């Protein structure tokens, strides 16, 4: 129920959109006066647009009735889409945590099942806290292995690397062993810490965001980098900022 409540606009948007391809196919067949399914893949649109916003068959009552229904359906679909963008709780802008913000403390279990408390290292080391979508996915593996390969460079700058995603402790341990990851992975199964940082999601909330935060020894955000597809750049940017903090 909690999932439904948090994603109600997205659910309505998707549910209302499911019959859309059928209704559009039916309308295109009316407009182009054919029963062939191939009309759905032909790159012709001008007559369809004229048929939707005009009245190309004034004597065809079936066409006029369905056009009005289809236009109303599309209007509601657009309203639901706008409502989703405005109200969806999973598409938060990055307004909670920004450069200069005091990093919030938290407790999570690491890949070995040991409780990790951020307060034990906060203020003592520079921190690179990176949120990633999923263990062992291509982009996340590339990012994780890049942090692994630069581990000593970060360590020389007195920086600790912390990776966070929603997978279980067991999943993190398997991921770490498979790719010989030499730093802390934290299991945020309820996405509480992700939400605490205000990490946004991608693709209508379907994909957890990929965001890296560099925290200085004052416990403040010195830099953040947000990119779903530039996995390698997360490491490069974090390293650049960490070396400036030395």
């Amino acid at each position: 129920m909690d999932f439904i409540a948090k994603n109600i606009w997205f659910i309505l948007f998707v549910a209302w959109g499911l019959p859309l391809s059928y209704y559009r196919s039916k309308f295109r067949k009316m407009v182009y006066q054919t029963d062939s399914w191939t009309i759905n893949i032909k790159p012709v649109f001008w007559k369809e647009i004229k048929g939707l916003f005009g009245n190309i068959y004034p004597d065809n009552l079936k066409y006029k009735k369905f056009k009005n229904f289809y236009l109303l359906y599309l209007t509601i679909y657009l309203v639901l889409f706008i409502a989703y963008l405005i109200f969806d709780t999973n598409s938060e802008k990055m307004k909670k945590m920004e450069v200069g913000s005091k990093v919030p403390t938290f407790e999570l279990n690491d890949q070995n099942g040991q409780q990790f408390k951020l307060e034990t290292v906060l203020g003592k080391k520079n921190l690179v806290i990176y949120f990633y979508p999923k263990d062992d996915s291509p982009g996340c593996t590339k990012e994780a292995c890049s942090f692994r390969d630069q581990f000593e460079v970060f360590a020389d700058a007195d920086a600790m690397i912390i990776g966070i995603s929603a997978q279980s402790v067991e999943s993190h341990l398997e991921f770490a062993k498979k790719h010989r990851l030499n730093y802390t992975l934290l299991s945020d199964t309820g996405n509480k810490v992700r939400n605490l940082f205000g990490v946004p999601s991608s693709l209508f909330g379907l994909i957890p965001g990929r965001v890296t935060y560099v925290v200085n020894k004052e416990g403040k955000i010195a830099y953040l980098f947000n990119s779903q597809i530039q996995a390698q750049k997360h490491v490069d940017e974090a390293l650049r900022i960490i070396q400036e903090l030395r």
Side-chain angles (χ1 to χ4, degrees):
M1 291 301 294
D2 184 57
F3 173 82
I4 294 176
K6 288 183 177 180
N7 296 276
I8 185 63
W9 290 109
F10 176 68
I11 292 171
L12 289 173
F13 172 65
V14 172
W16 193 260
L18 287 175
L20 188 60
S21 60
Y22 169 76
Y23 292 143
R24 182 167 183 256
S25 174
K26 185 175 179 180
F27 184 70
R28 282 175 67 87
K29 288 177 179 179
M30 284 184 178
V31 168
Y32 292 101
Q33 296 186 317
T34 178
D35 290 326
S36 174
W37 68 270
T38 58
I39 190 61
N40 298 314
I41 59 175
K42 288 184 178 179
V44 287
F45 308 105
W46 180 239
K47 192 173 182 180
E48 178 183 2
I49 294 172
K50 288 179 64 177
L52 184 60
F53 296 103
N55 189 13
I56 59 177
Y57 301 123
D59 298 325
N60 189 329
L61 295 179
K62 184 178 179 182
Y63 152 73
K64 292 174 66 176
K65 184 177 180 180
F66 190 78
K67 181 197 75 168
N68 292 333
F69 162 78
Y70 183 50
L71 189 58
L72 176 63
Y73 195 94
L74 285 175
T75 301
I76 295 174
Y77 187 70
L78 178 61
V79 169
L80 287 173
F81 176 70
I82 294 172
Y84 167 70
L85 293 180
I86 294 174
F87 298 112
D88 180 56
T89 57
N90 287 327
S91 59
E92 297 179 51
K93 299 287 187 291
M94 293 190 62
K95 57 187 178 183
K96 289 186 178 180
M97 299 299 300
E98 55 188 17
V99 173
S101 293
K102 192 77 174 178
V103 69
T105 58
F106 57 83
E107 299 178 12
L108 291 173
N109 288 332
D110 65 17
Q111 67 265 44
N112 298 309
Q114 301 297 313
Q115 188 178 59
F116 173 86
K117 296 182 179 181
L118 187 68
E119 62 185 23
T120 61
V121 294
L122 195 59
K124 300 176 182 178
K125 287 181 173 292
N126 295 313
L127 304 175
V128 177
I129 302 174
Y130 80 94
F131 291 85
Y132 63 98
K134 188 178 181 181
D135 291 340
D136 222 22
S137 61
C140 296
T141 299
K142 181 178 181 180
E143 182 181 22
C145 290
S146 294
F147 272 119
R148 176 201 65 197
D149 295 342
Q150 296 296 332
F151 178 83
E152 294 299 334
V153 182
F154 280 104
D156 288 344
D158 203 20
M160 179 179 184
I161 303 169
I162 302 170
I164 303 177
S165 75
Q167 286 71 59
S168 66
V169 167
E170 292 77 15
S171 175
H172 280 356
L173 182 59
E174 183 179 351
F175 184 43
K177 286 183 175 179
K178 181 177 179 180
H179 299 287
R180 296 175 288 106
L181 304 182
N182 47 6
Y183 53 86
T184 300
L185 296 180
L186 299 180
S187 175
D188 185 24
T189 54
N191 285 319
K192 292 182 179 179
V193 175
R194 178 177 287 272
N195 293 333
L196 187 63
F197 275 71
V199 179
S201 300
S202 304
L203 195 63
F204 304 114
L206 293 175
I207 302 177
R210 188 190 307 279
V211 183
T212 296
Y213 299 86
V214 177
V215 182
N216 60 28
K217 291 184 180 181
E218 295 177 356
K220 294 182 178 180
I221 303 295
Y223 182 79
L224 64 87
F225 182 69
N226 176 19
S227 175
Q228 186 65 265
I229 60 175
Q230 294 179 291
Q232 175 63 50
K233 194 170 181 180
H234 282 262
V235 183
D236 296 339
E237 287 294 291
L239 188 56
R240 178 178 67 84
I241 299 301
I242 283 294
Q243 289 175 334
E244 290 178 1
L245 294 178
R246 297 180 68 172

